[in-house]
Amino acid sequence: ETGVTQTPRHLVMGMTNKKSLKCEQHLGHNAMYWYKQSAKKPLELMFVYNFKEQTENNSVPSRFSPECPNSSHLFLHLHTLQPEDSALYLCASSQALSVEQYFGPGTRLTVT
Amino acid sequence: AQKITQTQPGMFVQEKEAVTLDCTYDTSDQSYGLFWYKQPSSGEMIFLIYQGSYDEQNATEGRYSLNFQKARKSANLVISASQLGDSAMYFCAMREMDSSYKLIFGSGTRLLVRP
């Protein structure tokens, strides 16, 4: 595997379900990010981790819970989601916070 | 006020021709970076090119060049010799180094290359 991978690629879940999105980067980067891309809205930053430490939480509701066990892996735990949370969730990584980010293919989430 | 403005929701270009995608930004920081990303229908965001606010020369990467006009706060992407595979969404983004490392994206421009 190379670059940034995300699983699953597609996820359909009910409002009472609990699921997790997984991101793995094979680039040796130190920073990882979660973004949300909704239809007709700009990409929104959700969380930033640098050397496994969360450095930014962009006012994200608590039904989204990130976890970064090491610099290569990033999870987004989901519970009690709302239909408006349906979106493409993109993971990214970068060598440092100030340089270009490399994105994974995203997880298309549908909340029913 | 919007930090990143992309005024062209959609653009057409003939194959092998050049096309310019517009991007204007708003910041009071002295140090910032400007990025362009391409998003094909598959969803992955692909990094194309970067311009730092202190860079005196316009950035170039292969067929991509960034027309950076600091006084006008514009960072237009120029794609030369368009190819069918260039059809995608293109996003301009900015990071303000002085205040935050958050990457702020514009709303994107959908480019369609005609054969």
Side-chain angles (χ1 to χ4, degrees), chain A residues 78-89:
Chain A
L78 317 170
H79 65 97
T80 327
L81 293 192
Q82 306 297 311
E84 59 264 28
D85 296 324
S86 298
L88 180 68
Y89 288 84

Side-chain angles (χ1 to χ4, degrees), chain A residues 23-88:
Chain A
C23 174
E24 184 174 359
Q25 59 96 359
H26 309 269
L27 300 169
H29 290 168
N30 298 309
M32 296 188 76
Y33 312 77
W34 279 117
Y35 287 87
K36 176 184 179 182
Q37 187 176 30
S38 305
K40 299 181 181 178
K41 288 179 70 176
L43 209 64
E44 300 171 79
L45 178 67
M46 300 175 72
F47 302 104
V48 180
Y49 278 82
N50 193 32
F51 291 97
K52 301 189 299 178
E53 298 298 320
Q54 186 178 127
T55 59
E56 185 136 2
N57 175 339
N58 198 28
S59 302
V60 180
S62 60
R63 57 186 184 270
F64 294 91
S65 174
E67 178 190 0
C68 188
N70 54 61
S71 292
S72 299
H73 293 85
L74 185 64
F75 296 88
L76 188 62
H77 303 299
L78 317 170
H79 65 97
T80 327
L81 293 192
Q82 306 297 311
E84 59 264 28
D85 296 324
S86 298
L88 180 68

